[in-house]
Amino acid sequence: MTVLVTGGAGYIGSHAVLALLEAGYSVLALDNLATSSRESLRRVERLAGRQLTFIEGDIRDRQLLDKLFAEHTIEAVLHFAGLKAVGESVAEPLAYYANNVGGSVTLFQAMADAGVHRLVFSSSATVYGEPESMPLSESAPTARASNPYGQSKLVVEEVLKDLARADARWSIALLRYFNPVGAHPSGEIGEDPQGPPNNLMPYIAQVAVGKREQLTVFGADYATRDGTGVRDYIHVVDLVEGHLRALEVLENCTGAHVWNLGTGRGYSVLEMVAAFEAISGKRVPYTLQARRKGDVAECWADPTKARKELDWQARCGLEEMMADTWRWQSKNPNGY
Ligand code: NAD
Ligand code: UFG
């Protein structure tokens, strides 16, 4: 079975391509390399001992999509392509709506015309907005996001729900990721942000490897255990396993289905720093600063629905997340 993976060269996409190849799927990876490197997929091929087909191109390019669907018997699409920097999305909303919403709609139109109706979409826990209570189950209300990036995820979710209502042939998974971290245990592929990382885990890893001086902890006055923000960090290998399960389950059901992909456990920023220091043996100096605009105090998943319906749950604990992040970062101090 052939799967089209958009954004396949990126952090999560490259791990998903590897898992698909290992599970026996044929993979077509489409990526414009806007925020990633061609090298990630070369390493994936080496790790898998199998070839994939890479197409450098854009999901907004309708002609290219039509050609891909005409030339290959694609049965399903894993759609990771998009831009994800929250701050940048505030400064450049049009780029975010054009890529994440416009690009997605173009992809869905090409799929519809090619008769391909099975889709797994990368959504985010950001669609829950400022949560009323914890943990977050899929029935919790969604809310207008505080930034265009989050808003683009919410809009695409709504587009896909409308699509599934309009045409019963669609089988769609809306996977709401909590906080993906970690890397493949080989240390060969991992998260390689361009410029200063926006997210906690790559920032910690870059401080530890000597690329950045110190971590800024955004807010120490939240109503949490130690005052710092609490999140549900999930190992990227567990996360992509959830995609493979969703792909299988979609084979036998139609409609649009929402699943949280999280562990169900929250850790604070300072707990993450301490766990990383313990595993890596490196010091991670930090300063406590003001809260970051738009951040929630705490956010963790109720993963029950995915466990019941996908027969999936996260297996890796914090130690593996830290050890695998550090192996990737120390083997590749400057990324790919
Ligand atoms: P990433 O930036 O590493 O990967 C995204 C990939 O999409 C990149 O390789 C990029 O070059 C490609 N891309 C961007 N625009 C494209 C376009 N128009 N056409 C073709 N390719 C394009 O990010 P990631 O962390 O791997 O995230 C993958 C998906 O998961 C994204 O949709 C992201 O919004 C979503 N997500 C990520 C997180 C997270 O914390 N990493 C959390 C929730 C949701
Ligand atoms: N943090 C710091 N210093 C940093 C970076 C982050 O203290 O340099 C803190 C944040 O304030 C927050 C925690 O670490 O308390 C996690 O922050 P991240 O930026 O790593 O992750 P977020 O929870 O803010 O956002 C992530 C993804 C979004 C996604 C969201 C869904 O970046 O794309 O999870 O919950 F929408």
Side-chain angles (χ1 to χ4, degrees):
M1 172 172 158
T2 301
V3 178
L4 171 66
V5 181
T6 74
Y11 170 45
I12 303 169
S14 58
H15 287 81
V17 170
L18 177 57
L20 288 165
L21 290 174
E22 286 176 342
Y25 292 93
S26 297
V27 175
L28 229 65
L30 171 67
D31 201 302
N32 66 1
L33 303 179
T35 59
S36 58
S37 157
R38 176 72 184 86
E39 175 63 14
S40 63
L41 291 175
R42 290 200 193 95
R43 296 189 185 186
V44 163
E45 285 185 322
R46 279 207 296 277
L47 287 167
R50 286 187 60 200
Q51 307 287 303
L52 56 93
T53 305
F54 177 71
I55 301 106
E56 184 172 344
D58 201 292
I59 53 166
R60 290 165 291 178
D61 182 345
R62 180 63 201 266
Q63 276 187 335
L64 172 67
L65 293 174
D66 288 345
K67 189 164 168 277
L68 283 183
F69 284 111
E71 287 177 357
H72 304 266
T73 312
I74 296 166
E75 282 174 70
V77 177
L78 257 56
H79 176 34
F80 296 99
L83 301 174
K84 64 163 186 178
V86 171
E88 185 182 68
S89 80
V90 176
E92 295 171 44
L94 289 179
Y96 275 69
Y97 287 115
N99 247 282
N100 296 6
V101 178
S104 295
V105 170
T106 302
L107 172 68
F108 307 152
Q109 284 172 327
M111 288 177 69
D113 288 350
V116 179
H117 296 101
R118 199 170 354 148
L119 171 73
V120 178
F121 173 63
S122 303
S123 188
S124 166
T126 194
V127 301
Y128 294 116
E130 181 86 46
E132 282 162 21
S133 64
M134 280 305 144
L136 283 160
S137 78
E138 291 82 350
S139 57
T142 56
R144 201 189 184 289
S146 62
N147 59 76
Y149 165 71
Q151 196 58 20
S152 75
K153 292 290 167 190
L154 194 55
V155 171
V156 174
E157 280 205 5
E158 293 304 320
V159 168
L160 289 172
K161 288 176 187 168
D162 285 341
L163 194 52
R165 273 183 218 114
D167 183 340
R169 289 173 298 178
W170 283 90
S171 304
I172 299 170
L174 307 173
L175 301 183
R176 293 180 179 161
Y177 308 166
F178 281 67
N179 290 59
V181 296
H184 188 264
S186 63
E188 288 295 307
I189 57 171
E191 188 169 9
D192 182 19
Q194 298 178 317
N198 297 304
N199 300 114
L200 178 66
M201 199 66 241
Y203 209 104
I204 289 178
Q206 291 196 5
V207 171
V209 86
K211 279 191 79 174
R212 319 237 160 238
E213 228 164 84
Q214 61 178 1
L215 171 73
T216 303
V217 176
F218 297 132
D221 57 350
Y222 286 110
T224 58
R225 290 189 281 285
D226 58 21
T228 65
V230 168
R231 297 288 184 278
D232 183 338
Y233 297 93
I234 174 168
H235 198 297
V236 65
V237 169
D238 279 333
L239 186 84
V240 302
E241 206 46 53
H243 291 65
L244 266 67
R245 285 297 305 139
L247 205 52
E248 285 169 19
V249 167
L250 290 182
E251 209 168 334
N252 299 308
C253 68
T254 56
H257 306 269
V258 178
W259 288 295
N260 282 342
L261 296 183
T263 67
R265 260 207 85 161
Y267 291 99
S268 75
V269 174
L270 295 182
E271 286 167 345
M272 295 294 283
V273 171
F276 186 87
E277 288 184 332
I279 290 285
S280 66
K282 295 280 174 186
R283 283 248 307 116
V284 179
Y286 62 83
T287 56
L288 302 177
Q289 299 285 339
R291 294 179 182 190
R292 185 170 65 178
K293 205 164 155 267
D295 272 359
V296 297
E298 47 186 22
C299 172
W300 69 89
D302 176 349
T304 311
K305 187 168 184 275
R307 193 174 64 230
K308 284 192 182 146
E309 297 177 3
L310 300 180
D311 189 23
W312 167 90
Q313 60 185 336
R315 296 184 188 287
C316 299
L318 206 52
E319 288 196 357
E320 273 162 289
M321 300 183 208
M322 298 302 167
D324 292 336
T325 300
W326 181 231
R327 191 174 305 106
W328 153 253
Q329 188 69 66
S330 50
K331 275 177 93 166
N332 306 273
N334 296 311
Y336 287 110

